[in-house]
Amino acid sequence: MNRNRERTSDIIKIPFRYAPQYAFIIGIQKVLEGVVPTIQVIVTAKFLDTVLAIVYNSRSYSDIFVPLSLVILLIAYSWTASQLSKFVDVKLEMKFRENFRTDITKKRAKLKYSLIENNHTWDLICRVAKEPIRFHDLMHTNATLLLE
């Protein structure tokens, strides 16, 4: 159980070690994915209350602009958030390829010769080091699971 918790924390720590700005942006995006629908409901309710107040002549027409602009901003964010997320994902993956894969290769080069000679050990090393970029996918999965 404790070892599993360490692996989860490693999956979250590694992106922050190699590309902290992009990992932070992805974290903020994941939080916003959970918060924005609630904010949309509140803003839409405020917009409808303002429209009804204008219809019943208890408010002026100029009072509609703030709730309307908030609704428009939230809709625009909803439309562009997925594209922004894909852009940040690509940038994070590029940083991983640049830094993380290099570190994996350096560690692989420093292995003892006895580990390289052992077929079973070498097979494990090859499978693990084959696609180190998978940590990026695991981070997204864990961030989603933690926020749900």
Side-chain angles (χ1 to χ4, degrees):
M1 180 79 168
N2 191 24
R3 184 68 185 145
N4 192 22
R5 187 174 300 156
E6 289 174 12
R7 289 180 189 151
T8 303
S9 67
D10 286 344
I11 290 170
I12 293 172
K13 288 178 190 175
I14 287 173
F16 281 99
R17 188 178 307 138
Y18 288 97
Q21 65 275 21
Y22 298 122
F24 179 75
I25 291 171
I26 287 173
I28 295 294
Q29 285 176 330
K30 292 295 179 186
V31 169
L32 285 176
E33 280 179 21
V35 173
V36 165
T38 305
I39 294 172
Q40 277 183 324
V41 169
I42 293 168
V43 168
T44 303
K46 179 69 174 163
F47 172 74
L48 291 174
D49 288 344
T50 306
V51 168
L52 290 175
I54 290 171
V55 168
Y56 293 121
N57 294 325
S58 62
R59 293 181 100 174
S60 68
Y61 286 110
S62 63
D63 292 340
I64 195 71
F65 293 118
V66 173
L68 180 62
S69 61
L70 289 175
V71 168
I72 291 170
L73 282 173
L74 286 169
I75 290 172
Y77 174 78
S78 297
W79 286 346
T80 59
S82 64
Q83 297 303 317
L84 178 64
S85 179
K86 288 177 187 176
F87 174 73
V88 174
D89 287 347
V90 168
K91 293 297 244 177
L92 181 66
E93 189 172 333
M94 287 171 51
K95 280 288 190 184
F96 266 20
R97 287 180 195 269
E98 182 180 315
N99 299 324
F100 188 62
R101 189 173 287 241
T102 305
D103 286 352
I104 293 281
T105 305
K106 285 179 185 175
K107 286 186 187 258
R108 203 171 169 183
K110 292 179 183 178
L111 286 174
K112 293 181 183 176
Y113 187 72
S114 61
L115 295 174
I116 295 171
E117 269 187 344
N118 186 336
N119 285 336
H120 179 69
T121 307
W122 186 248
D123 182 48
L124 287 173
I125 291 168
C126 286
R127 279 190 275 153
V128 170
K130 191 176 188 179
E131 290 187 43
I133 307 303
R134 287 251 165 111
F135 275 107
H136 169 257
D137 297 334
L138 291 173
M139 182 199 145
H140 268 292
T141 304
N142 279 346
T144 304
L145 291 174
L146 288 173
L147 293 173
E148 288 180 351

